[in-house]
Amino acid sequence: MILNRRFYIALSLIILLLGSGYTFAPLFVLGQGMLFVMLLAILAEGYMLYRIHGIRAFRQCSSRFSNGDENTVNIRVESSYPYAISVEVIDEIPFIFQQRNINFQIKFQANEGKTISYQLRPTHRGIYNFGRIRVFVQGRMGLLSRRYTCGDSQDVKVYPSYLMLHRYELLAISDNLTELGIKRIRRVGHHTEFEQIKEYVKGDDYRTINWKASARKHELMVNVYQDERSQQIYSVIDKGRVMQQAFRGMTLLDYAINASLVLSYVAMRKEDKAGLITFDEHFDTFVPASSRPGHMQTLLENLYSQETTFSETDFSSLCVHLNKHVNKRSLLVLYTNFSSMGSMNRQLAYLQQLNRQHRLLVVFFEDADLKAYIATPASDTEGYYRHVIAEKFAFEKRLIVSTLKQHGIYSLLTTPENLSIDVINKYLEMKSRQLL
C-alpha cells in the first residue's frame, strides 16, 4: 500500500484544524469529524483496491534490437476492476539508456485494456536487460495506491542495424532504392558472360554483331554481354583506437559495421560474394566471401560481438594474413580513419601492397562536428584562429584523398551518417566501370 500526495494534504489539513481547536473549539470538533471520514475513506478505498487482483501487464518487443535505430516496445495493460481507475505504468528499461521518463499516466474504464508504445534507440551492441513492469493503481478518491509487479525480466540482444537492411530489402523489391540516395548506374558489359540478343541500334559496338541471327531476322542483331559475376567483396574493418571516436552516441566502428552489413547485402543481390575481415593489433575475424543462403546471418552474428580496442592498428599483420586467406583478386573495402597526413603516411606502404594484389577502397571519415564548426562565422580574433586550425584539419583530410589517388588507391571521405549510402554508390560506380 502506498499513501498518495492527496492523503498527506488531507492529513495536514486535519492536523491544522485540530491544532486550531485549542483557540477555537468548534474547529477541533470539525477536525475530529474529518479524521473519522478520512479513516472510513481509507478503509473503503483499500477494500476496493485489494479485494481482487485487478491488473495484468506484460511487455511485447523483439528479442533483438537494431543498433542505431528506433526500436518499438509495447506494454499491454489490462484492468479487471469493475470501475474506473487511474494507473501509472513504469517500465524498468536497461540502465544503459539512462532514461527516467519511461512512465505513463493512464485512465482505465471498467474492465478495459490498453497498449502503451514507446521507442528506444540503442547506440552500443551487446545484451540489454529489461526489468519488471511496475503498475501503480489509484482509486477514485486518490488517497491510496496499490503496486503491482508484472511481467518478467527480459534480455534483448542489440545487433548491427538489421532494420536498415530490411529497409533496403523492401525498397529493392519495389525498385525504389533511389529514395535512399542510391544512384542508378547501368553499363552494358563487354565480358564473356552472354545475356541476350537484341536489335542493333546506333552506338552499339559493331564487334558484337551476331551474323547468324542477323541472317535469320534479315536485320542487324547484336549480342549483349553483362559484367562478370561472382566477384569477391570483402569488408575490412579496423578495430583500433581510431575507430573509438563517437558521433551521435555511436562509435565509428558501429557505423562501419552497419555499412558493411548493408554493402554485403547489396553485393549479394548483384550476384557478388560478400566476406568479412576485422583486425586491430592482430588479425581477428575472417569470414570467407560467399553468396549462399544464410550467409547474411553468419555475417550478422560475426559483426554482433565486434568491439574497438585502444591499441594501435597493425596493417602489416593484415597484409600477411590476407595473403594466406584470400587468393583470388577481390575488392577490399577498408573502413578506417586517418586524423592527419602523418598517420596515413605510416600506413601508405601497406595500403599500396594491398592495392597491388587486390582492388582497394579506403573509407575514412570527415569530422562532422568540425565541419559544422567551420560553417559557423567567427566573431573575434580567437575565433578566427580556431577557424584557421579547423580548416587546416579539414584540408588534411582532402589532401589524404588526393595522395591516395596519386598512388592509384581509391578512397571515400564521408560523414558517419552518410556512410552506408556513399559506400554503396561507390561500389556500384566501381562495378559499372569494371574496376573490380
Side-chain angles (χ1 to χ4, degrees):
M1 180 184 295
I2 298 173
L3 303 176
N4 293 337
R5 181 182 179 185
R6 190 174 295 181
F7 168 85
Y8 291 105
I9 293 175
L11 184 61
S12 299
L13 180 60
I14 292 172
I15 293 174
L16 183 61
L17 290 174
L18 292 174
S20 302
Y22 287 100
T23 56
F24 189 61
L27 291 179
F28 187 81
V29 177
L30 179 60
Q32 287 179 318
M34 291 184 64
L35 180 61
F36 178 74
V37 171
M38 183 177 174
L39 291 175
L40 290 179
I42 290 172
L43 292 174
E45 191 160 42
Y47 172 76
M48 294 174 67
L49 291 176
Y50 284 87
R51 69 188 183 92
I52 61 172
H53 189 85
I55 290 293
R56 178 173 174 264
F58 53 91
R59 185 187 301 107
Q60 298 171 321
C61 67
S62 173
S63 59
R64 61 182 187 178
F65 279 4
S66 177
N67 192 27
D69 296 315
E70 296 290 346
N71 298 266
T72 301
V73 180
N74 295 319
I75 298 177
R76 179 67 181 176
V77 183
E78 298 175 351
S79 169
S80 57
Y81 283 105
Y83 44 81
I85 56 173
S86 297
V87 169
E88 180 181 8
V89 182
I90 300 176
D91 192 10
E92 295 179 347
I93 66 171
F95 69 89
I96 195 170
F97 288 105
Q98 292 297 303
Q99 294 186 27
R100 300 293 183 268
N101 59 344
I102 308 299
N103 63 310
F104 307 91
Q105 304 284 343
I106 308 173
K107 294 186 180 296
F108 284 84
Q109 300 300 319
N111 300 306
E112 186 181 12
K114 292 184 179 180
T115 300
I116 304 166
S117 295
Y118 65 93
Q119 292 184 324
L120 294 174
R121 180 181 179 270
T123 56
H124 299 86
R125 286 164 288 108
I127 299 177
Y128 289 29
N129 177 259
F130 282 86
R132 310 292 293 275
I133 301 172
R134 311 292 179 178
V135 182
F136 297 88
V137 181
Q138 180 176 297
R140 291 182 177 180
M141 290 174 282
L143 297 175
L144 305 177
S145 290
R146 179 181 178 181
R147 186 180 75 173
Y148 289 88
T149 300
C150 307
D152 297 317
S153 298
Q154 182 178 0
D155 288 336
V156 174
K157 290 185 177 181
V158 178
Y159 280 85
S161 183
Y162 63 86
L163 289 183
M164 180 190 297
L165 189 62
H166 290 169
R167 287 198 295 272
Y168 278 85
E169 184 175 4
L170 292 172
L171 288 173
I173 292 172
S174 61
D175 201 25
N176 287 328
L177 281 173
T178 50
E179 293 181 6
L180 291 178
I182 297 177
K183 303 172 184 176
R184 293 180 179 273
I185 302 175
R186 184 179 184 276
R187 179 184 174 92
V188 178
H190 291 280
H191 290 270
T192 58
E193 194 163 345
F194 175 79
E195 183 177 13
Q196 64 175 339
I197 299 175
K198 73 176 186 70
E199 296 179 3
Y200 175 86
V201 295
K202 186 177 180 180
D204 284 340
D205 189 346
Y206 66 88
R207 292 173 298 181
T208 62
I209 294 176
N210 187 319
W211 295 108
K212 290 183 178 180
S214 300
R216 288 194 301 268
K217 291 285 188 177
H218 303 290
E219 59 179 329
L220 287 178
M221 306 293 291
V222 295
N223 294 331
V224 178
Y225 299 90
Q226 59 186 3
D227 293 336
E228 292 178 354
R229 297 180 179 178
S230 298
Q231 295 164 320
Q232 295 187 154
I233 314 297
Y234 278 95
S235 296
V236 185
I237 302 177
D238 182 352
K239 301 198 304 177
R241 59 183 177 83
V242 295
M243 300 294 281
Q244 185 70 36
Q245 183 179 345
F247 175 75
R248 291 188 62 197
M250 289 176 56
T251 63
L252 296 182
L253 175 66
D254 285 312
Y255 283 103
I257 286 174
N258 291 346
S260 64
L261 189 65
V262 177
L263 175 63
S264 299
Y265 169 75
V266 173
M268 290 170 66
R269 282 191 64 89
K270 292 291 183 181
E271 301 186 21
D272 287 334
K273 296 179 180 179
L276 173 67
I277 297 169
T278 65
F279 71 106
D280 43 30
E281 57 184 336
H282 306 291
F283 189 83
D284 189 18
T285 306
F286 177 76
V287 179
S290 174
S291 58
R292 68 181 186 273
H295 188 60
M296 284 303 302
Q297 184 62 33
T298 302
L299 293 175
L300 187 65
E301 291 294 337
N302 278 275
L303 288 169
Y304 164 71
S305 58
Q306 302 296 332
E307 296 292 342
T308 57
T309 63
F310 290 93
S311 57
E312 186 72 25
T313 305
D314 186 0
F315 278 78
S316 63
S317 175
L318 173 65
C319 293
V320 171
H321 287 85
L322 199 62
N323 288 337
K324 296 179 182 178
H325 291 88
V326 183
N327 298 321
K328 181 181 177 182
R329 184 174 174 84
S330 310
L331 171 63
L332 306 179
V333 183
L334 172 61
Y335 298 90
T336 186
N337 199 28
F338 299 118
S339 57
S340 64
M341 278 294 298
S343 62
M344 189 277 295
N345 286 329
R346 285 195 296 271
Q347 314 299 346
L348 183 57
Y350 302 115
L351 298 179
Q352 288 178 293
Q353 181 179 340
L354 291 173
N355 194 54
R356 282 194 296 268
Q357 298 166 343
H358 303 276
R359 177 65 69 189
L360 178 63
L361 172 62
V362 179
V363 181
F364 60 108
F365 299 89
E366 283 186 283
D367 191 323
D369 295 331
L370 187 68
K371 188 177 179 180
Y373 177 75
I374 293 174
T376 59
S379 57
D380 52 20
T381 304
E382 183 181 355
Y384 283 111
Y385 280 114
R386 290 179 180 273
H387 271 73
V388 169
I389 295 172
E391 288 173 1
K392 176 182 178 294
F393 283 115
F395 172 75
E396 282 206 7
K397 294 278 188 176
R398 297 192 295 270
L399 188 59
I400 291 172
V401 173
S402 177
T403 304
L404 291 173
K405 185 177 180 180
Q406 290 174 7
H407 289 86
I409 301 173
Y410 289 88
S411 61
L412 175 63
L413 176 61
T414 183
T415 57
E417 56 189 348
N418 295 327
L419 176 62
S420 298
I421 299 297
D422 290 345
V423 167
I424 293 171
N425 281 329
K426 191 68 174 180
Y427 158 72
L428 295 176
E429 177 192 343
M430 295 178 70
K431 187 173 179 66
S432 70
R433 294 171 57 192
Q434 303 168 9
L435 297 176
L436 308 186

